Every structure is written in C-alpha cells, then in structure tokens.
C-alpha cells in the first residue's frame, strides 16, 4: 500500500502536507497460461485495533484494504519470488496490526488526496500480484511435481540471479543457465528452440533433479543486478540517517491530541518495526518521486 511508503518522510514534512508519489511499473505479462485458482483468505483474522463506530467513508475504505493484507498468510507471502516485493507485503501486514502506525496511515489516506489516489492504485496492483504469484506456484507444482517449498526456492533463485522471475530469458541468461546445469549435473537441458521462459527451464530441470533450486544457485549471471549505483547508495544512506534521526526526536513530540500528532506518533512507533522500516527503505531507494516529496 502506498500509504506505508511515505512514513519516514511525512514526519519531517508535515508542515508542508504534500507528498509526491509514484506507482511501481507493472511486471510484464506471464508466459505460461494458468488455470483459475481461488485464493482463500482466513476470515477469522482481524486487525489488532480498538473497535470504533461511525467510521467515515474513507476510514472504512482504508480499513477494508488493510484487512485484506492482514489476512495474507505467511505461506501466501512466501509465494512471492521477488524478495523486495515480498518485504512490501510483510511491511504492510505489520503496519495493519499496530494501532499507532495504522492510525498514522489512516490519517494520511484521508487527508492527502494524491496519496489516497496512489494508495488505491497500489492496493489493486499488489492484490493482483498476490493472486498471480500464488496461482503460478500451484500451476508449477502441477507441472513439475515439486513441493511448494522447492518451487518457491527455485523461483526466488531465478529472481535473485536475474532480477526477474517469469520473463523470457535473454540469450546470455539462457547460456548461463545451460552452463550451470551442465556443470552441476553433467547433462544438457531439453529445451525448445526460440525464446524460453523460466517456467520452461524449471519444468525441464525438474525431470533431472528433485532440487533444481540447488542447481540454479550455481548460475553465474551475465551481469550483477544487485550492485547499487552510486545514486541509490546515497539514497540508502540518507534513509538510514532518517531512521537514526527518528530515534533522537522521539522525546520531543508534544503532548496532546490532533491528526498531525497521530501521524508523528505512528511514525515513531513504526520506525521501531523492522518489517515496516525495511519495506519503506526499499521503496525510498527505488522510487524517485517519494524522494522529491
């Protein structure tokens, strides 16, 4: 949810009351047709919040959206192969169960129109991504006969090595995979001609080993996708400084009631939540519009 990513900036910029937002780029279309699978949410899970009556329309909308993320199980979140995206789900879920953090984001959702619009878009995209990845896991389990743990590990390894988990391979990437498999197993993959997706590779590899993720970890990628450029390193350092500053300012919050004070209190509480902080750090580093806010 977009409202979670403004968290540290907001406390420093409440006087201005304006935050720019940016919507993450949607992933490319999938390359393997999926069967329709319905994800069942645990409706017995509720937000750890005090009961409130007479919620405004926007407050109810915000609560409904966060409730969906709070119901995602650890197993469902584990089906997300991108570890950075997975951290966003974990951060949103963590914020949904903390009353102070929840209240801060609720106020921001109500009071900042640009943030509210972006939040709705991000919510829909993240919910769609969860459905897609969970369904893809189930389909790959059927196609390969692998356990869900092995499917998750293989997809995550693909993502960690190449920076994506269902794109078609470039020629250099495919050569790196074929080389790794040949070196590890002494066999060649049986692959079709033309463009090859990661799913096709996983299906072929599952016929040769029950632990394809172990083989995939030996891939030497054609480029280092994890190396931060100098600008991103600077943004990461700046974010760490912001978190440190929060620990110094906590005793300076004035007493009293008010919407801005609710936001400040929620920000200080959230700054101590590792999952929330990690999610915000990823988005602060990756999305330039937030840094301009």
């Amino acid at each position: 949810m977009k409202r979670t990513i403004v968290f540290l900036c907001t406390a420093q910029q409440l006087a201005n009351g304006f935050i720019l937002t940016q919507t993450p780029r949607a992933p490319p279309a999938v390359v393997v047709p999926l069967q329709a699978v319905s994800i069942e949410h645990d409706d017995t899970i509720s937000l750890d919040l005090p009961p409130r009556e007479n919620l405004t329309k926007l407050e109810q909308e915000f609560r409904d959206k966060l409730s969906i993320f709070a119901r995602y199980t650890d197993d469902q979140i584990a089906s997300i192969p991108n570890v950075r995206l997975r951290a966003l789900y974990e951060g949103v879920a963590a914020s949904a169960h903390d009353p102070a953090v929840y209240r801060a984001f609720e106020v921001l959702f109500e009071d900042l129109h640009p943030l509210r619009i972006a939040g709705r878009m991000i919510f829909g995209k993240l919910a769609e991504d969860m459905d897609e990845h969970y369904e893809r896991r189930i389909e790959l389990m059927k196609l390969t006969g692998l356990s869900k743990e092995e499917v998750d590990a293989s997809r995550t390894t693909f993502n960690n090595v190449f920076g994506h988990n269902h794109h078609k391979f470039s020629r250099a990437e495919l050569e790196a995979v074929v080389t790794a498999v040949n070196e590890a197993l002494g066999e060649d993959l049986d692959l079709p001609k033309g463009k090859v997706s990661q799913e096709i590779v996983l299906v072929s590899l599952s016929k040769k080993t029950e632990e394809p993720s172990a083989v995939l970890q030996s891939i030497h990628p054609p480029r280092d996708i994890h190396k931060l450029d100098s600008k991103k390193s600077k943004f990461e350092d700046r974010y760490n400084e912001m978190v440190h500053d929060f620990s110094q300012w906590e005793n300076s919050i004035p007493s009293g009631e008010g919407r801005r004070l609710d936001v400040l209190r929620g920000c200080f509480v959230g700054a101590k939540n590792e999952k929330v902080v990690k999610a915000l750090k990823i988005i602060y580093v990756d999305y330039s519009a937030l840094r301009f806010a």
Side-chain angles (χ1 to χ4, degrees):
M1 300 290 289
K2 194 66 173 185
R3 50 196 148 280
T4 63
I5 70 174
V6 298
F7 164 77
L8 290 177
C9 302
T10 301
Q12 293 182 326
Q13 302 176 7
L14 280 173
N16 296 331
F18 182 75
I19 299 216
L20 297 176
T21 56
Q22 175 171 311
T23 303
R25 185 179 301 172
V30 299
V31 296
V32 172
L34 301 177
Q35 299 176 2
V37 179
S38 175
I39 295 180
E40 295 182 359
H41 302 295
D42 185 353
D43 291 332
T44 64
I45 298 176
S46 60
L47 300 177
D48 299 329
L49 302 171
R52 287 170 54 191
E53 297 181 354
N54 302 320
L55 295 175
T56 67
K57 183 177 179 180
L58 289 176
E59 287 174 341
Q60 187 63 57
E61 178 186 352
F62 181 75
R63 180 163 295 212
D64 289 343
K65 285 175 166 50
L66 264 290
S67 294
I68 291 177
F69 280 85
R71 293 188 181 111
Y72 286 143
T73 65
D74 291 341
D75 178 66
Q76 290 170 339
I77 293 176
S79 72
I80 304 295
N82 185 316
V83 293
R84 295 174 74 81
L85 182 59
R86 192 186 306 161
L88 299 186
Y89 287 93
E90 293 173 341
V92 173
S95 69
H97 289 292
D98 190 305
V101 178
Y102 176 94
R103 176 56 182 165
F105 295 156
E106 180 184 58
V107 171
L108 294 172
F109 185 78
E110 282 194 279
D111 292 357
L112 298 182
H113 181 71
L115 177 62
R116 183 164 64 251
I117 298 302
R120 289 167 175 160
M121 296 174 63
I122 296 303
F123 164 78
K125 186 66 182 68
L126 290 181
E128 178 183 329
D129 283 350
M130 175 61 77
D131 290 344
E132 175 188 322
H133 288 301
Y134 194 73
E135 292 168 4
R136 182 165 295 280
R137 174 214 265 173
I138 294 174
E139 184 69 10
L140 282 172
M141 288 171 61
K142 294 178 181 178
L143 291 172
T144 63
L146 299 172
S147 67
K148 66 180 178 183
E149 291 80 10
E150 185 59 33
V151 168
D152 288 347
S154 297
R155 297 178 69 217
T156 297
T157 301
F158 272 137
N159 191 91
N160 290 343
V161 172
F162 296 117
H164 53 77
N165 65 83
H166 60 242
H167 297 185
K168 291 183 178 180
F169 283 112
S170 68
R171 177 176 296 181
E173 290 172 341
L174 185 57
E175 289 177 354
V177 173
V178 171
T179 299
V181 172
N182 186 272
E183 292 177 350
L185 302 178
E187 300 181 52
D188 292 327
L189 286 176
D190 182 18
L191 300 174
K193 295 182 179 180
K195 290 291 186 178
V196 176
S197 70
Q198 294 179 0
E199 285 81 0
I200 292 175
V201 169
L202 186 56
V203 170
S204 178
L205 187 53
S206 68
K207 298 176 181 178
K208 300 180 181 297
T209 176
E210 295 181 352
E211 297 182 344
S213 61
V215 176
L216 297 174
Q217 289 174 5
S218 65
I219 296 173
H220 299 290
R223 61 188 180 90
D224 185 0
I225 60 143
H226 301 288
K227 184 179 179 180
L228 287 178
D229 59 34
S230 58
K231 287 186 177 180
K232 285 194 173 183
S233 295
K234 179 182 67 175
F235 299 143
E236 189 170 281
D237 291 341
R238 183 183 302 168
Y239 181 90
N240 292 334
E241 292 175 1
M242 291 167 63
V243 175
H244 178 266
D245 288 343
F246 261 61
S247 66
Q248 307 299 314
W249 299 341
E250 185 170 8
N251 294 329
S252 302
I253 302 178
S255 59
E257 302 295 330
R259 297 175 71 81
R260 288 192 174 184
L261 288 176
D262 286 344
V263 173
L264 283 171
R265 293 189 187 101
C267 288
F268 283 113
V269 172
K272 298 177 182 179
N273 188 311
E274 182 179 351
K275 290 184 177 180
V276 173
V277 171
K278 183 177 181 181
L280 297 178
K281 183 177 184 177
I282 289 171
I283 297 186
Y284 183 80
V285 171
D286 289 353
Y287 299 103
S288 59
L290 178 63
R291 295 191 296 271
F292 294 142

